[in-house]
Amino acid sequence: MVAKPREQNLEFEAAERNLSPGMANQAWGLEDSATDFKETELTLGPPGESRDAGGKSGTKRGFCETLDLNLTGSNAKRNDPGAQSQQEACPTAKHPAAKAKLVGWPPVRALRKNAMRSDGCNYVKVAVDGAPYLRKVDLEMYSSYKHLSEALEDMFSCFTIRNYFNAGKLMDPVDGSEYVLAYEDRDGDWMMVGDIPWQIFARSCKRIRLMKSSETVDIEPITPPK
Amino acid sequence: MNKVVSPKSTAKSIVMRNTFPEEVLEHVLSFIDSHSDRNSVSLVCKAWHETDRWCRRRLFIGNCYSVSPAIVIRRFRDIRSLAIKGKPHFADYNWVPEGWGAHAYPWIAALAEAYPALEELRLKRMVVSDEALELIGKKFQNFRVLVLCCCEGFSTDGLAYIAANCRNLRVLDLFECEVDDMGGNWIGHFPDSYTSLESLNVSCINSELRFSALERLLCRCPNMKALRVNCTVPLDKLAILLEKAPRLMDLGTGLFMTELRPEVYKRLAVAFSRCKEIRSLSGLWDVAPSYLPVVYPICPMLTSLNLSYATIRCPDLIKLLTHCQNLQRLWVLDFIEDRGLEVLAASCKDLQELRVFPSEPYNQEPNISLTEQGLVSVAVGCPKLQSVLYFCRQMTNAALFTIARNRPNLTRFRLCLIEPRSADWQTHGPLDDGFGAIVEHCKDLKRLSLSGLISDTVFEYIGTHAKKLEMLSLAFSGGSDLGLHYVLSGCESLRKLEIRDCPFGDRALVLNAAKLETMRSLWMSSCRVSYRACKLLGQKMPRLNVEVIDERGPPESRSDECPVENLYIYRTVAGPRLDSPGFVWTVNENWAMRSPSL
C-alpha cells in the first residue's frame, strides 16, 4: 500500500523499523519519575547551574547525555549502551508519579482549563529573583503544598525546595543569600507561602515569587489563617 | 493553426504588454483579495511588483519575526488593514516560556508613523501592552477594527483608552486573550456620542462588566451585529440586552444559570423568539437545563454553536441538538458522549466542523462514555464534515479506516488521545495504519495532529500521500530520525511543523535543511537535536533564524552533544531578533547570539 520513499538513504534503514512499542515507551519515556533526590540539604542557584560538579545538564526531561548523536555514524542502534541505561533510569510510563509530572499535557488552552472551574482563574505566574524567565502553574492541579513544591522543583530544577515547609527558608550555598517563597494574594499583599490551609491559599493566590529575603522587609509576619 | 512563433513576434508582444495602462492594472488588481494571489501578482514582473507596492491595502504577516516593520514600510506605501501572528501555536498550551517575545508595540509604533490611515489591526499570539493600545487610540484617526486573538499583556486600562479614543471603532474582538483586571469601568469610557459599534466580543475577560454601561452602549449603537459578553453577565439580565439588540447575528451569552423564576423565563423566551437573525450562539457558561428551552426558537437557524464551556449533560444536549438541523459548526464538551454524537449525525446533515473538548483532561477515568465510536458516527453520517478536533481516550485503526473511507473530503483532522502513546485497544498495536488511511484517502488534508502510539511507519505514509498538508503537530510519536526525514522530504506543501517529545534529532534536520526555508516555521521541544546541529544549521542557512530556547542557561555551558530543550526555526529576511530574552539564543555559525538589549 505504501510506495517507497524516493531517496534510498541507506543510513536510515533497519533497526528503527523493528522498534517495538514497548521499547519506544521506555526509550523516550516521560520525565524521570524516580524520586532519587540525592541532596537532602537545601541548595539554590540561578537556572543554568547544575548540581553536578561535572557541569552536566539538568535531567529535567530524563534525556541521557550518553545517547549517541553522531552525525557521521551509521545506524543509531536502539540497543546501544546509552539507550539501555536510559531504559533502566526511566521506568515505564504507567508510573503514577510520572503522569503527574507530564508538563502541559493534554494540549488544552489555559483559558479553557480555567473556565471549567467555577471559582475562576487559577493560573499563577511564578518568578524567581535573579532568573530571566517566568513560569505559569495551575494551582488546581495540586492538592497540597508538598505537591506544589515538587512541581516547582521540577520547573526550576536548579534548586531543591523539598524541605522548605519544614525548614522554612532556602539558602543559596554560592553566595549565602536567603530566599523565601512568597505569594501575592487577591488584596495585592505579599505573604509567605505555607501559612494558611492549602485550599484557601489556592483560591487567594494570584502570583508566586521566590524572593531574596533581603527584600522581604514588608512581607507580613506569619498570621493566623484567615 | 500551427503557427511557429518567431522571436520577432514574441518581442513585439512583450513591448505591447509594457504599455498596459497602470490605472487599469490597479483596478483589476483591486479585485484580487487573497493574500497568496496578491503575492503571486507581485512576482510577475517589475511593473506589477511596483503597482502592487502602491495599491496593496491589506497585508498578512504569518510570523512577526520573518520581516521587520521597516521592511514592510519601505515596500508598501499605504496599508489600511494588517494582520500579524506572533508566537508559535504551541504557546497556546504554555509550551513556549513566558517572555519569549512577539511584542506588538514596536510594530504599532512604526505603523503609526508610516500608515496614519490604518483602519484594521488583527493580532494573534502577540504581547500587546496598554501602551500599545494607547498608541492605537492616539495615532489612528480612522481606526475601525481591532481583533486580538490569544494575546496577552494588556489590561482593562488599555481597553478603556481604546473605548475613549477610537471614535470610528466598529469591531472590538478579544478572542481568548488574557486581560488583567485593573478595576474601573472600561466599557463606560465609550463616549455618549459614540454610536458606531457593530461587534463586541469580550467573553474572555474575567472581571465584571458594568451592566448599565453595556446596556447604554447597546442602546445608542443601532448597527450591533455581534455581541459576546462574559460570564459575569447574569442570565436574568440577558433579556435586556437582547431587547436592545434584536438584530444580532452572533450572540455570546454570559452565565446561563439563575434560580428558576417564571417571569425571568418568560421574558427570555420572548426576547429570543424576537431575535430572528441569530446564526451563531456561544457562551453558555454553567447552564441550568431548565432554562435551555428559551433558545429553541433560534436553534433551527443556527449555523454555529459553541457549547464548549457549557456544563450540560447528554440528555439535554441531545434535546438541544435535535432542534439545530442547519448546524454547520459545533464545539462541545465530551459530555455529548457517543450517543449524543449519533444524534448529531442523524440531525445535522450540514455539519462541516466538529470539535469535542475534554471536560476533565487530567482525570484518568472520568465517568463519560465518549469513544472512537462517536467520531465514526459523525464521519459516516455527515457528508460535509471537513474539520475535526477530537479529544478522547481510546482509538482503533478500524475506526480511522472507516472515517477515512467515508470522509475523503476532510481538510483538518486533529485527534488527541489523552493518554500519550495509547495503542489501538483492539490490536494493541500502533495507530500507523489508521492514520495512514486518513492521509491516503483525504487528499486535500491541510492540517493533521497525531497522537497515540505512533511509529515511523506512519511518517512514511504521510510523506508519500499528504501532498497538500500544510500543518502537522506531533507529540510522543515516532521511533527515530527516519520519521522526521519522511515528513520533511515528502510533504511538499508543509508550512508549519510542531513537535514535542519525539525522538527526532540531528540527521533528519541537517539533511533537510533546505526544506526549512520553504516553511514558515519548525518548533521542536524535548526532542534530540544537539546544540552542534543547531550551530550547523545556523551556519548553513543564513535566511533562517535558529533559536535555541533553553532555560538551563547558555548552550555554550553544556556539551555540544547535549540536546537543546526547545528549538524554533523560522525563515526570515529580517536577520536575528533584537529583542530576545535571556533564555533565547539565535544561533549563527560558531557562537550563539543574544540580544544586546539584555
Side-chain angles (χ1 to χ4, degrees):
Chain A
M1 164 174 146
V2 176
K4 284 283 175 209
R6 281 188 291 268
E7 293 168 64
Q8 292 284 343
N9 192 333
L10 296 176
E11 283 182 30
F12 287 113
E13 275 184 277
E16 284 87 351
R17 303 279 210 116
N18 298 326
L19 182 65
S20 74
M23 285 178 75
N25 271 334
Q26 287 173 344
W28 326 118
L30 300 173
E31 285 85 337
D32 183 9
S33 66
T35 51
D36 58 340
F37 298 109
K38 297 186 182 63
E39 298 89 3
T40 51
E41 80 269 19
L42 302 171
T43 60
L44 184 66
E49 289 176 21
S50 60
R51 286 172 228 164
D52 302 321
K56 284 206 192 112
S57 61
T59 53
K60 196 160 78 156
R61 302 266 177 198
F63 285 107
C64 287
E65 291 74 28
T66 54
L67 283 170
D68 181 7
L69 296 175
N70 188 353
L71 274 175
T72 58
S74 51
N75 308 335
K77 291 183 176 43
R78 259 327 127 252
N79 43 4
D80 69 21
Q84 268 180 346
S85 67
Q86 173 88 50
Q87 288 169 36
E88 278 138 24
C90 304
T92 155
K94 292 295 176 211
H95 195 291
K99 257 191 236 317
K101 286 192 180 184
L102 188 51
V103 174
W105 187 266
V108 177
R109 284 205 187 142
L111 258 129
R112 189 167 289 285
K113 273 189 262 195
N114 293 332
M116 293 313 300
R117 290 163 200 105
S118 46
D119 55 343
C121 184
N122 243 351
Y123 249 80
V124 299
K125 296 187 180 178
V126 183
V128 176
D129 278 3
Y133 61 90
L134 295 178
R135 283 288 207 170
K136 274 190 202 163
V137 290
D138 179 6
L139 291 181
E140 281 294 317
M141 286 189 70
Y142 311 107
S143 50
S144 65
Y145 285 116
K146 182 169 186 295
H147 202 182
L148 173 66
S149 76
E150 284 169 9
L152 288 179
E153 179 166 356
D154 191 50
M155 264 174 229
F156 299 98
S157 54
C158 47
F159 62 85
T160 312
I161 56 173
R162 288 191 83 60
N163 298 320
Y164 174 75
F165 299 108
N166 297 330
K169 281 227 173 71
L170 302 162
M171 193 173 80
D172 178 355
V174 174
D175 63 10
S177 55
E178 289 183 339
Y179 287 75
V180 292
L181 201 57
Y183 73 100
E184 184 184 1
D185 69 9
R186 286 187 186 268
D187 298 329
D189 300 322
W190 283 92
M191 321 283 282
M192 300 271 282
V193 171
D195 287 351
I196 56 177
W198 168 263
Q199 295 298 342
I200 300 178
F201 163 75
R203 272 155 184 54
S204 56
C205 170
K206 265 174 55 174
R207 205 184 302 261
I208 293 176
R209 188 169 148 205
L210 215 70
M211 49 199 329
K212 295 198 176 178
S213 41
S214 53
E215 292 181 29
T216 62
V217 283
D218 40 77
I219 275 195
E220 306 242 307
I222 294 175
T223 54
K226 288 186 186 159
Chain B
M1 203 155 42
N2 293 328
K3 222 170 153 185
V4 173
V5 178
S6 72
K8 212 162 136 196
S9 64
T10 322
K12 188 174 167 194
S13 55
I14 288 173
V15 166
M16 282 178 69
R17 243 173 260 141
N18 268 345
T19 63
F20 196 67
E22 200 178 290
E23 297 80 19
V24 178
L25 180 60
E26 234 185 87
H27 185 68
V28 169
L29 293 187
S30 69
F31 292 101
I32 299 178
D33 271 340
S34 128
H35 292 292
S36 58
D37 285 346
R38 284 302 292 242
N39 291 345
S40 304
V41 156
S42 70
L43 294 175
V44 167
C45 62
K46 281 197 178 137
W48 285 36
H49 190 272
E50 203 52 27
T51 304
D52 177 64
R53 275 190 66 214
W54 283 79
C55 68
R56 177 117 60 139
R57 299 283 171 264
R58 293 174 58 244
L59 196 60
F60 169 75
I61 296 171
N63 173 4
C64 63
Y65 290 118
S66 64
V67 72
S68 69
I71 292 174
V72 172
I73 289 166
R74 194 167 62 221
R75 178 167 169 191
F76 297 108
R77 178 186 65 102
D78 184 11
I79 296 293
R80 304 286 171 92
S81 165
L82 182 59
I84 313 177
K85 290 187 174 181
K87 300 185 214 172
H89 168 244
F90 272 0
D92 284 354
Y93 315 122
N94 289 330
W95 299 347
V96 176
E98 283 278 305
W100 172 78
H103 300 284
Y105 188 89
W107 278 94
I108 295 173
L111 295 169
E113 295 308 310
Y115 306 127
L118 189 74
E119 296 174 1
E120 303 182 0
L121 198 54
R122 292 172 172 83
L123 304 178
K124 185 165 185 178
R125 288 191 202 100
M126 295 195 79
V127 178
V128 184
S129 58
D130 283 347
E131 289 76 25
L133 293 179
E134 281 172 31
L135 209 52
I136 292 175
K138 208 182 296 193
K139 297 283 190 170
F140 301 113
Q141 296 309 314
N142 204 25
F143 199 73
R144 296 172 173 230
V145 172
L146 182 62
V147 177
L148 301 179
C149 184
C150 308
C151 293
E152 55 170 348
F154 61 101
S155 74
T156 47
D157 283 354
L159 293 177
Y161 206 90
I162 293 280
N165 292 282
C166 294
R167 298 302 165 93
N168 293 306
L169 195 69
R170 305 265 189 282
V171 173
L172 179 60
D173 184 349
L174 308 175
F175 181 77
E176 304 214 351
C177 295
E178 273 186 43
V179 186
D180 285 336
D181 173 23
M182 301 307 273
N185 167 25
W186 72 270
I187 285 237
H189 285 248
F190 284 107
D192 290 338
S193 56
Y194 170 75
T195 59
S196 52
L197 194 62
E198 293 175 15
S199 170
L200 181 66
N201 175 6
V202 291
S203 52
C204 59
I205 296 185
N206 278 326
S207 54
E208 189 168 338
L209 285 178
R210 186 77 57 85
F211 188 82
S212 51
L214 180 59
E215 190 185 345
R216 278 199 305 276
L217 185 62
L218 287 190
C219 277
R220 62 183 189 275
C221 294
N223 298 322
M224 281 300 286
K225 288 277 176 303
L227 176 65
R228 296 191 186 191
V229 299
N230 71 357
C231 56
T232 67
V233 172
L235 187 55
D236 53 351
K237 297 250 169 86
L238 182 62
I240 302 173
L241 297 178
L242 292 178
E243 286 155 14
K244 300 279 186 288
R247 304 248 300 282
L248 279 181
M249 296 178 66
D250 181 327
L251 172 68
T253 73
L255 214 59
F256 216 79
M257 173 186 290
T258 188
E259 56 192 35
L260 191 53
R261 282 179 279 153
E263 73 279 7
V264 171
Y265 184 99
K266 187 158 178 229
R267 192 171 179 186
L268 266 173
V270 169
F272 268 106
S273 66
R274 293 215 178 114
C275 290
K276 306 246 183 262
E277 312 211 11
I278 295 184
R279 297 286 173 269
S280 168
L281 181 65
S282 59
L284 293 157
W285 279 279
D286 281 351
V287 176
S290 41
Y291 272 102
L292 260 184
V294 304
V295 307
Y296 289 173
I298 61 165
C299 284
M301 296 170 309
L302 285 181
T303 54
S304 170
L305 180 57
N306 183 351
L307 296 170
S308 61
Y309 294 102
T311 48
I312 334 177
R313 293 280 167 170
C314 194
D316 297 306
L317 274 172
I318 287 180
K319 264 190 252 162
L320 183 63
L321 287 173
T322 47
H323 287 87
C324 303
Q325 304 92 351
N326 286 314
L327 210 55
Q328 293 172 16
R329 179 198 302 160
L330 176 66
W331 292 19
V332 71
L333 286 170
D334 55 8
F335 293 139
I336 192 171
E337 299 190 339
D338 288 343
R339 51 194 170 120
L341 290 173
E342 264 181 59
V343 171
L344 179 70
S347 314
C348 305
K349 293 303 184 185
D350 281 345
L351 195 72
Q352 294 173 21
E353 176 180 332
L354 173 68
R355 297 196 189 191
V356 179
F357 295 97
S359 53
E360 290 176 82
Y362 307 111
N363 190 341
Q364 289 310 109
E365 271 152 61
N367 194 12
I368 285 182
S369 176
L370 180 93
T371 70
E372 75 276 8
Q373 273 318 301
L375 184 56
V376 169
S377 312
V378 178
V380 169
C382 299
K384 299 190 189 167
L385 188 71
Q386 282 177 23
S387 171
V388 169
L389 169 63
Y390 198 75
F391 282 81
C392 63
R393 288 173 168 82
Q394 62 182 66
M395 188 51 57
T396 62
N397 284 298
L400 290 171
F401 274 126
T402 307
I403 294 167
R405 275 197 312 268
N406 280 275
R407 287 282 67 75
N409 48 328
L410 281 175
T411 54
R412 289 170 177 80
F413 190 73
R414 297 160 71 188
L415 180 68
C416 182
L417 287 165
I418 290 183
E419 179 66 35
R421 306 191 190 88
S422 306
D424 175 330
W425 65 266
Q426 283 176 337
T427 67
H428 306 293
L431 292 169
D432 298 340
D433 289 343
F435 280 114
I438 295 276
V439 295
E440 200 186 337
H441 289 265
C442 306
K443 303 209 186 297
D444 290 325
L445 196 69
K446 286 203 300 201
R447 185 166 179 185
L448 177 64
S449 301
L450 302 186
S451 57
L453 187 63
I454 304 279
S455 79
D456 286 341
T457 309
V458 80
F459 298 115
E460 194 176 354
Y461 297 150
I462 291 175
T464 306
H465 295 283
K467 296 305 181 187
K468 300 259 182 80
L469 191 68
E470 296 179 10
M471 183 169 177
L472 179 62
S473 309
L474 307 173
F476 308 105
S477 308
S480 74
D481 256 355
L482 193 51
L484 181 58
H485 172 68
Y486 283 138
V487 170
L488 290 176
S489 58
C491 296
E492 291 161 4
S493 308
L494 196 65
R495 292 190 300 119
K496 289 180 278 186
L497 179 57
E498 48 183 24
I499 304 173
R500 71 163 279 185
D501 289 280
C502 295
F504 300 146
D506 300 349
R507 217 173 315 163
L509 272 188
V510 174
L511 264 172
N512 293 284
K515 171 73 174 175
L516 298 176
E517 254 191 37
T518 70
M519 294 165 54
R520 181 185 295 172
S521 64
L522 165 66
W523 171 276
M524 294 177 76
S525 53
S526 305
C527 295
R528 305 176 60 196
V529 183
S530 71
Y531 181 52
R532 177 153 61 86
C534 295
K535 284 196 286 191
L536 193 59
L537 277 173
Q539 179 189 13
K540 265 176 87 171
M541 315 293 299
R543 281 189 305 228
L544 291 180
N545 274 354
V546 177
E547 287 190 10
V548 170
I549 301 163
D550 207 316
E551 291 169 312
R552 296 170 298 179
E556 303 289 343
S557 66
R558 291 178 294 277
S559 144
D560 263 14
E561 300 311 315
C562 184
V564 299
E565 261 182 6
N566 306 292
L567 175 62
Y568 187 44
I569 301 178
Y570 51 91
R571 66 179 175 189
T572 180
V573 294
R577 286 169 60 181
L578 299 175
D579 64 351
S580 306
F583 50 89
V584 174
W585 289 268
T586 303
V587 185
N588 285 318
E589 301 197 322
N590 292 317
W591 67 86
M593 255 185 68
R594 205 153 62 170
S595 301
S597 54
L598 178 80

